Amino acid sequence: MRVSVDEGRCCSSGQCAALAPGVFDQREDDGVVVLLDAAPPEAAHDAVREAALACPAAAIQLRS
């Protein structure tokens, strides 16, 4: 799995960081998503998929 984020679309809801904290974080100043791991381990794939689905701005893209 490859993960990318569109910081320009991010609305700073924090769903991604809450659901997959090893893959996503948020910037301190404005809460915009920070991608920590663009190729997360298989054990994190379900959480990353859930985070992508939960993102209200559709700012997370997944590729296999």
Side-chain angles (χ1 to χ4, degrees):
M1 169 184 285
R2 298 289 301 167
V3 182
S4 60
V5 297
D6 182 343
E7 293 180 8
R9 290 187 71 143
C10 179
C11 66
S12 306
S13 74
Q15 295 298 314
C16 57
L19 292 167
V23 179
F24 305 102
D25 199 356
Q26 291 181 277
R27 293 193 304 224
E28 290 287 327
D29 57 337
D30 59 7
V32 170
V33 64
V34 174
L35 181 61
L36 301 175
D37 190 349
E42 190 170 339
H45 288 189
D46 287 343
V48 172
R49 284 188 198 95
E50 186 176 353
L53 290 171
C55 178
I60 302 169
Q61 296 81 41
L62 305 179
R63 296 183 312 273
S64 22

